Amino acid sequence: MQAYQEIELARRPPHGVLRPTSVQVERELEVLSQLMDNQFSVPVLGWRFGLNAIIDLIPEVGDIATTIVALYILVSAVRYRVPKITLARMGMNIAIYFVGGLVPFAGDLFAIWWKPNIRNLNLLRRRATVSAAEAKRGRTSDWLFLALIVGGVLALLFGSVALTFFFLWYVATQLRFGI
């Protein structure tokens, strides 16, 4: 019995957590991030961009649509049981992308450079603790933490829409009374 315990202790890593060294992420997540961030190339310069850059050209609606797609990868990360700090980092990547994309013209260039889906997919690959086959569902605490992150991103989203409508209303009332 003692020999068996010694063998078990020898197999355990020193930090006590077993993590796979290489996790295969679902192919659909890889395709989605590639399509959204790196699908097209500028021939002479070699710069890559994806559908995010094209969809973002539609004011306000484009930012909302591409942010929702980026949130899909974040939701998928819960199933791979990434640590909560990584979920928070992924949420920050999306929030930075969304806020940066709100700046007219410069935000579109920033969105091409930032590539939140590729960033988040790389974080997912590095920090996933279970394989795709084992990733049937996440833990309840992870889902609650994800709800907080998504709630924060949605607050940014609805806040920007509300500010846009308030600004347009203010300009419209000032023009009407100014004449």
Side-chain angles (χ1 to χ4, degrees):
M1 183 69 166
Q2 186 178 5
Y4 177 76
Q5 288 175 343
E6 289 175 22
I7 292 172
E8 281 297 309
L9 290 175
R11 285 188 200 166
R12 290 185 188 163
H15 49 25
V17 178
L18 291 173
R19 291 187 186 211
T21 56
S22 176
V23 172
Q24 181 65 32
V25 176
E26 296 171 23
R27 181 81 178 128
E28 64 197 28
L29 293 176
E30 292 176 358
V31 169
L32 178 67
S33 62
Q34 192 69 21
L35 180 68
M36 294 304 288
D37 289 343
N38 278 341
Q39 184 64 31
F40 309 107
S41 176
V42 177
V44 176
L45 301 173
W47 294 342
R48 300 201 59 83
F49 65 95
L51 289 178
N52 271 356
I54 297 168
I55 297 170
D56 277 344
L57 293 175
I58 304 168
E60 204 68 46
V61 175
D63 294 323
I64 293 168
T66 56
T67 299
I68 290 171
V69 171
L71 285 173
Y72 176 73
I73 294 175
L74 177 66
V75 169
S76 297
V78 171
R79 293 184 296 118
Y80 286 93
R81 296 189 189 110
V82 300
K84 288 179 181 59
I85 190 68
T86 305
L87 290 175
R89 206 167 147 200
M90 292 171 83
M92 284 301 296
N93 283 340
I94 296 168
I96 289 168
Y97 165 74
F98 180 75
V99 171
L102 292 176
V103 178
F105 305 114
D108 295 328
L109 295 175
F110 174 76
I112 292 171
W113 173 76
W114 187 251
K115 302 179 190 264
N117 300 308
I118 296 292
R119 288 176 186 268
N120 285 346
L121 187 67
N122 289 336
L123 281 171
L124 176 60
R125 280 190 193 120
R126 284 194 309 263
R127 303 295 294 187
T129 59
V130 296
S131 67
E134 297 170 327
K136 301 286 187 230
R137 47 180 262 228
R139 295 179 293 232
T140 304
S141 64
D142 292 336
W143 286 110
L144 292 173
F145 189 72
L146 176 70
L148 287 172
I149 294 170
V150 170
V153 171
L154 289 177
L156 280 172
L157 181 89
F158 292 126
S160 70
V161 170
L163 279 174
T164 301
F165 284 126
F166 176 73
F167 177 74
L168 292 174
W169 172 82
Y170 181 77
V171 169
T173 57
Q174 293 303 315
L175 287 176
R176 187 176 67 192
F177 293 120
I179 295 177

PDB file of all heavy atoms in Angstrom, residues 101-120:
ATOM      1  N   GLY A 101     -13.617  51.122 -30.418  1.00  0.00           N
ATOM      2  CA  GLY A 101     -14.330  51.170 -31.687  1.00  0.00           C
ATOM      3  C   GLY A 101     -15.362  52.274 -31.767  1.00  0.00           C
ATOM      4  O   GLY A 101     -15.845  52.609 -32.844  1.00  0.00           O
ATOM      5  N   LEU A 102     -15.712  52.875 -30.638  1.00  0.00           N
ATOM      6  CA  LEU A 102     -16.709  53.946 -30.639  1.00  0.00           C
ATOM      7  C   LEU A 102     -16.158  55.270 -31.159  1.00  0.00           C
ATOM      8  O   LEU A 102     -16.923  56.145 -31.552  1.00  0.00           O
ATOM      9  CB  LEU A 102     -17.275  54.147 -29.230  1.00  0.00           C
ATOM     10  CG  LEU A 102     -18.135  53.005 -28.703  1.00  0.00           C
ATOM     11  CD1 LEU A 102     -18.555  53.284 -27.270  1.00  0.00           C
ATOM     12  CD2 LEU A 102     -19.352  52.786 -29.574  1.00  0.00           C
ATOM     13  N   VAL A 103     -14.840  55.424 -31.149  1.00  0.00           N
ATOM     14  CA  VAL A 103     -14.228  56.662 -31.638  1.00  0.00           C
ATOM     15  C   VAL A 103     -14.338  56.683 -33.161  1.00  0.00           C
ATOM     16  O   VAL A 103     -13.874  55.753 -33.823  1.00  0.00           O
ATOM     17  CB  VAL A 103     -12.749  56.748 -31.200  1.00  0.00           C
ATOM     18  CG1 VAL A 103     -12.089  58.005 -31.735  1.00  0.00           C
ATOM     19  CG2 VAL A 103     -12.624  56.653 -29.694  1.00  0.00           C
ATOM     20  N   PRO A 104     -14.955  57.736 -33.724  1.00  0.00           N
ATOM     21  CA  PRO A 104     -15.121  57.768 -35.187  1.00  0.00           C
ATOM     22  C   PRO A 104     -13.777  57.693 -35.923  1.00  0.00           C
ATOM     23  O   PRO A 104     -12.805  58.322 -35.523  1.00  0.00           O
ATOM     24  CB  PRO A 104     -15.808  59.111 -35.441  1.00  0.00           C
ATOM     25  CG  PRO A 104     -16.446  59.465 -34.142  1.00  0.00           C
ATOM     26  CD  PRO A 104     -15.578  58.880 -33.072  1.00  0.00           C
ATOM     27  N   PHE A 105     -13.724  56.933 -36.979  1.00  0.00           N
ATOM     28  CA  PHE A 105     -12.588  56.730 -37.880  1.00  0.00           C
ATOM     29  C   PHE A 105     -11.389  56.086 -37.192  1.00  0.00           C
ATOM     30  O   PHE A 105     -10.950  55.025 -37.609  1.00  0.00           O
ATOM     31  CB  PHE A 105     -12.186  58.035 -38.570  1.00  0.00           C
ATOM     32  CG  PHE A 105     -13.313  58.683 -39.302  1.00  0.00           C
ATOM     33  CD1 PHE A 105     -13.822  59.904 -38.884  1.00  0.00           C
ATOM     34  CD2 PHE A 105     -13.900  58.067 -40.392  1.00  0.00           C
ATOM     35  CE1 PHE A 105     -14.889  60.484 -39.542  1.00  0.00           C
ATOM     36  CE2 PHE A 105     -14.965  58.636 -41.063  1.00  0.00           C
ATOM     37  CZ  PHE A 105     -15.463  59.855 -40.631  1.00  0.00           C
ATOM     38  N   ALA A 106     -10.845  56.703 -36.169  1.00  0.00           N
ATOM     39  CA  ALA A 106      -9.697  56.116 -35.469  1.00  0.00           C
ATOM     40  C   ALA A 106     -10.092  54.805 -34.806  1.00  0.00           C
ATOM     41  O   ALA A 106      -9.284  53.873 -34.712  1.00  0.00           O
ATOM     42  CB  ALA A 106      -9.141  57.085 -34.435  1.00  0.00           C
ATOM     43  N   GLY A 107     -11.332  54.705 -34.345  1.00  0.00           N
ATOM     44  CA  GLY A 107     -11.814  53.474 -33.723  1.00  0.00           C
ATOM     45  C   GLY A 107     -11.849  52.313 -34.690  1.00  0.00           C
ATOM     46  O   GLY A 107     -11.610  51.171 -34.305  1.00  0.00           O
ATOM     47  N   ASP A 108     -12.132  52.605 -35.954  1.00  0.00           N
ATOM     48  CA  ASP A 108     -12.129  51.538 -36.958  1.00  0.00           C
ATOM     49  C   ASP A 108     -10.721  50.995 -37.174  1.00  0.00           C
ATOM     50  O   ASP A 108     -10.515  49.792 -37.304  1.00  0.00           O
ATOM     51  CB  ASP A 108     -12.714  52.046 -38.274  1.00  0.00           C
ATOM     52  CG  ASP A 108     -14.192  52.404 -38.135  1.00  0.00           C
ATOM     53  OD1 ASP A 108     -14.888  51.754 -37.335  1.00  0.00           O
ATOM     54  OD2 ASP A 108     -14.617  53.343 -38.824  1.00  0.00           O
ATOM     55  N   LEU A 109      -9.744  51.880 -37.196  1.00  0.00           N
ATOM     56  CA  LEU A 109      -8.348  51.431 -37.322  1.00  0.00           C
ATOM     57  C   LEU A 109      -7.903  50.672 -36.081  1.00  0.00           C
ATOM     58  O   LEU A 109      -7.182  49.678 -36.162  1.00  0.00           O
ATOM     59  CB  LEU A 109      -7.436  52.632 -37.585  1.00  0.00           C
ATOM     60  CG  LEU A 109      -7.664  53.347 -38.916  1.00  0.00           C
ATOM     61  CD1 LEU A 109      -6.783  54.590 -39.006  1.00  0.00           C
ATOM     62  CD2 LEU A 109      -7.400  52.419 -40.073  1.00  0.00           C
ATOM     63  N   PHE A 110      -8.339  51.160 -34.912  1.00  0.00           N
ATOM     64  CA  PHE A 110      -8.013  50.475 -33.667  1.00  0.00           C
ATOM     65  C   PHE A 110      -8.601  49.067 -33.663  1.00  0.00           C
ATOM     66  O   PHE A 110      -7.942  48.106 -33.241  1.00  0.00           O
ATOM     67  CB  PHE A 110      -8.544  51.265 -32.464  1.00  0.00           C
ATOM     68  CG  PHE A 110      -8.376  50.547 -31.162  1.00  0.00           C
ATOM     69  CD1 PHE A 110      -7.139  50.473 -30.552  1.00  0.00           C
ATOM     70  CD2 PHE A 110      -9.458  49.928 -30.550  1.00  0.00           C
ATOM     71  CE1 PHE A 110      -6.980  49.805 -29.352  1.00  0.00           C
ATOM     72  CE2 PHE A 110      -9.307  49.249 -29.362  1.00  0.00           C
ATOM     73  CZ  PHE A 110      -8.066  49.188 -28.755  1.00  0.00           C
ATOM     74  N   ALA A 111      -9.835  48.934 -34.142  1.00  0.00           N
ATOM     75  CA  ALA A 111     -10.495  47.625 -34.163  1.00  0.00           C
ATOM     76  C   ALA A 111      -9.754  46.638 -35.063  1.00  0.00           C
ATOM     77  O   ALA A 111      -9.692  45.444 -34.769  1.00  0.00           O
ATOM     78  CB  ALA A 111     -11.945  47.781 -34.622  1.00  0.00           C
ATOM     79  N   ILE A 112      -9.193  47.134 -36.163  1.00  0.00           N
ATOM     80  CA  ILE A 112      -8.413  46.270 -37.046  1.00  0.00           C
ATOM     81  C   ILE A 112      -7.156  45.782 -36.336  1.00  0.00           C
ATOM     82  O   ILE A 112      -6.757  44.632 -36.452  1.00  0.00           O
ATOM     83  CB  ILE A 112      -8.051  47.011 -38.353  1.00  0.00           C
ATOM     84  CG1 ILE A 112      -9.316  47.260 -39.178  1.00  0.00           C
ATOM     85  CG2 ILE A 112      -7.026  46.235 -39.162  1.00  0.00           C
ATOM     86  CD1 ILE A 112      -9.106  48.172 -40.365  1.00  0.00           C
ATOM     87  N   TRP A 113      -6.543  46.648 -35.558  1.00  0.00           N
ATOM     88  CA  TRP A 113      -5.303  46.297 -34.863  1.00  0.00           C
ATOM     89  C   TRP A 113      -5.558  45.421 -33.635  1.00  0.00           C
ATOM     90  O   TRP A 113      -4.800  44.493 -33.358  1.00  0.00           O
ATOM     91  CB  TRP A 113      -4.572  47.580 -34.457  1.00  0.00           C
ATOM     92  CG  TRP A 113      -3.391  47.318 -33.606  1.00  0.00           C
ATOM     93  CD1 TRP A 113      -2.182  46.835 -34.009  1.00  0.00           C
ATOM     94  CD2 TRP A 113      -3.298  47.495 -32.188  1.00  0.00           C
ATOM     95  NE1 TRP A 113      -1.345  46.709 -32.932  1.00  0.00           N
ATOM     96  CE2 TRP A 113      -2.018  47.108 -31.805  1.00  0.00           C
ATOM     97  CE3 TRP A 113      -4.186  47.935 -31.219  1.00  0.00           C
ATOM     98  CZ2 TRP A 113      -1.592  47.158 -30.487  1.00  0.00           C
ATOM     99  CZ3 TRP A 113      -3.769  47.986 -29.915  1.00  0.00           C
ATOM    100  CH2 TRP A 113      -2.485  47.597 -29.562  1.00  0.00           C
ATOM    101  N   TRP A 114      -6.616  45.678 -32.872  1.00  0.00           N
ATOM    102  CA  TRP A 114      -6.823  45.025 -31.573  1.00  0.00           C
ATOM    103  C   TRP A 114      -7.160  43.540 -31.707  1.00  0.00           C
ATOM    104  O   TRP A 114      -6.664  42.729 -30.936  1.00  0.00           O
ATOM    105  CB  TRP A 114      -7.910  45.759 -30.786  1.00  0.00           C
ATOM    106  CG  TRP A 114      -8.060  45.252 -29.384  1.00  0.00           C
ATOM    107  CD1 TRP A 114      -9.098  44.528 -28.889  1.00  0.00           C
ATOM    108  CD2 TRP A 114      -7.133  45.405 -28.306  1.00  0.00           C
ATOM    109  NE1 TRP A 114      -8.888  44.232 -27.569  1.00  0.00           N
ATOM    110  CE2 TRP A 114      -7.686  44.768 -27.187  1.00  0.00           C
ATOM    111  CE3 TRP A 114      -5.900  46.017 -28.171  1.00  0.00           C
ATOM    112  CZ2 TRP A 114      -7.050  44.729 -25.960  1.00  0.00           C
ATOM    113  CZ3 TRP A 114      -5.269  45.978 -26.948  1.00  0.00           C
ATOM    114  CH2 TRP A 114      -5.839  45.345 -25.865  1.00  0.00           C
ATOM    115  N   LYS A 115      -8.010  43.132 -32.627  1.00  0.00           N
ATOM    116  CA  LYS A 115      -8.375  41.732 -32.890  1.00  0.00           C
ATOM    117  C   LYS A 115      -8.763  40.967 -31.616  1.00  0.00           C
ATOM    118  O   LYS A 115      -8.047  40.062 -31.173  1.00  0.00           O
ATOM    119  CB  LYS A 115      -7.244  41.011 -33.609  1.00  0.00           C
ATOM    120  CG  LYS A 115      -6.866  41.652 -34.923  1.00  0.00           C
ATOM    121  CD  LYS A 115      -5.726  40.926 -35.584  1.00  0.00           C
ATOM    122  CE  LYS A 115      -5.196  41.691 -36.735  1.00  0.00           C
ATOM    123  NZ  LYS A 115      -5.678  41.358 -38.009  1.00  0.00           N
ATOM    124  N   PRO A 116      -9.890  41.295 -31.024  1.00  0.00           N
ATOM    125  CA  PRO A 116     -10.257  40.683 -29.741  1.00  0.00           C
ATOM    126  C   PRO A 116     -10.522  39.181 -29.826  1.00  0.00           C
ATOM    127  O   PRO A 116     -10.244  38.456 -28.865  1.00  0.00           O
ATOM    128  CB  PRO A 116     -11.535  41.427 -29.345  1.00  0.00           C
ATOM    129  CG  PRO A 116     -12.133  41.823 -30.651  1.00  0.00           C
ATOM    130  CD  PRO A 116     -10.948  42.161 -31.522  1.00  0.00           C
ATOM    131  N   ASN A 117     -11.032  38.709 -30.944  1.00  0.00           N
ATOM    132  CA  ASN A 117     -11.341  37.280 -31.052  1.00  0.00           C
ATOM    133  C   ASN A 117     -10.079  36.432 -31.079  1.00  0.00           C
ATOM    134  O   ASN A 117     -10.010  35.385 -30.433  1.00  0.00           O
ATOM    135  CB  ASN A 117     -12.195  37.020 -32.297  1.00  0.00           C
ATOM    136  CG  ASN A 117     -13.496  37.778 -32.241  1.00  0.00           C
ATOM    137  OD1 ASN A 117     -14.229  37.697 -31.264  1.00  0.00           O
ATOM    138  ND2 ASN A 117     -13.771  38.556 -33.267  1.00  0.00           N
ATOM    139  N   ILE A 118      -9.066  36.876 -31.809  1.00  0.00           N
ATOM    140  CA  ILE A 118      -7.787  36.159 -31.842  1.00  0.00           C
ATOM    141  C   ILE A 118      -7.126  36.205 -30.464  1.00  0.00           C
ATOM    142  O   ILE A 118      -6.610  35.195 -29.975  1.00  0.00           O
ATOM    143  CB  ILE A 118      -6.849  36.751 -32.924  1.00  0.00           C
ATOM    144  CG1 ILE A 118      -7.443  36.566 -34.323  1.00  0.00           C
ATOM    145  CG2 ILE A 118      -5.450  36.175 -32.833  1.00  0.00           C
ATOM    146  CD1 ILE A 118      -7.506  35.136 -34.799  1.00  0.00           C
ATOM    147  N   ARG A 119      -7.146  37.373 -29.825  1.00  0.00           N
ATOM    148  CA  ARG A 119      -6.569  37.496 -28.481  1.00  0.00           C
ATOM    149  C   ARG A 119      -7.250  36.530 -27.510  1.00  0.00           C
ATOM    150  O   ARG A 119      -6.589  35.842 -26.736  1.00  0.00           O
ATOM    151  CB  ARG A 119      -6.711  38.925 -27.956  1.00  0.00           C
ATOM    152  CG  ARG A 119      -5.815  39.921 -28.606  1.00  0.00           C
ATOM    153  CD  ARG A 119      -6.112  41.332 -28.082  1.00  0.00           C
ATOM    154  NE  ARG A 119      -5.359  42.326 -28.796  1.00  0.00           N
ATOM    155  CZ  ARG A 119      -4.177  42.776 -28.417  1.00  0.00           C
ATOM    156  NH1 ARG A 119      -3.614  42.320 -27.327  1.00  0.00           N
ATOM    157  NH2 ARG A 119      -3.544  43.682 -29.126  1.00  0.00           N
ATOM    158  N   ASN A 120      -8.575  36.512 -27.546  1.00  0.00           N
ATOM    159  CA  ASN A 120      -9.307  35.664 -26.614  1.00  0.00           C
ATOM    160  C   ASN A 120      -9.140  34.184 -26.934  1.00  0.00           C
ATOM    161  O   ASN A 120      -9.089  33.357 -26.026  1.00  0.00           O
ATOM    162  CB  ASN A 120     -10.781  36.063 -26.581  1.00  0.00           C
ATOM    163  CG  ASN A 120     -10.992  37.344 -25.804  1.00  0.00           C
ATOM    164  OD1 ASN A 120     -10.117  37.805 -25.080  1.00  0.00           O
ATOM    165  ND2 ASN A 120     -12.159  37.925 -25.959  1.00  0.00           N
TER     166      ASN A 120
END
